[in-house]
Amino acid sequence: MMPIMYTFISKFINAYKSASSRLLKKEFPEIRKKLWEEYFWSQSFCLLTTGGAPIEVIRKYIESQGQKNRRKDSGKEKK
């Protein structure tokens, strides 16, 4: 049996993907030419938790993604 919270989140994400797909296709009809069949989103999704981290910490983390000079061991003490 699936936990209730997972079911709620899954339904919410699928509804969001469905609605956003309809809106994007309506506003940008030419996008249909680039799609795989009629699908805008894949069926999968990833949900990550932040463990209560402040939004500013999360924002900085997201903004730093893809930067070449970002240190992998950021915040660790050098030996």
Side-chain angles (χ1 to χ4, degrees):
M1 186 170 144
M2 255 188 235
I4 293 171
M5 193 59 176
Y6 176 82
T7 302
F8 172 77
I9 291 170
S10 179
K11 286 181 180 181
F12 172 80
I13 290 171
N14 286 326
Y16 177 83
K17 288 165 70 172
S18 180
S20 62
S21 174
R22 279 193 305 276
L23 290 171
L24 287 166
K25 289 175 186 176
K26 184 177 179 180
E27 187 168 343
F28 305 101
E30 67 277 6
I31 205 167
R32 291 179 183 273
K33 296 174 188 170
K34 305 282 185 187
L35 298 177
W36 179 261
E37 297 180 11
E38 281 291 311
Y39 303 111
F40 189 84
W41 301 110
S42 72
Q43 291 181 342
S44 61
F45 65 88
C46 176
L47 178 66
L48 305 172
T49 62
T50 62
I55 191 70
E56 191 56 34
V57 171
I58 297 165
R59 182 176 288 120
K60 285 179 182 178
Y61 172 78
I62 292 170
E63 289 171 352
S64 74
Q65 296 304 293
Q67 294 177 0
K68 288 185 179 184
N69 295 329
R70 184 175 57 96
R71 289 180 44 162
K72 289 184 180 181
D73 62 342
S74 180
K76 293 183 181 174
E77 237 181 81
K78 284 189 174 182
K79 292 183 181 182

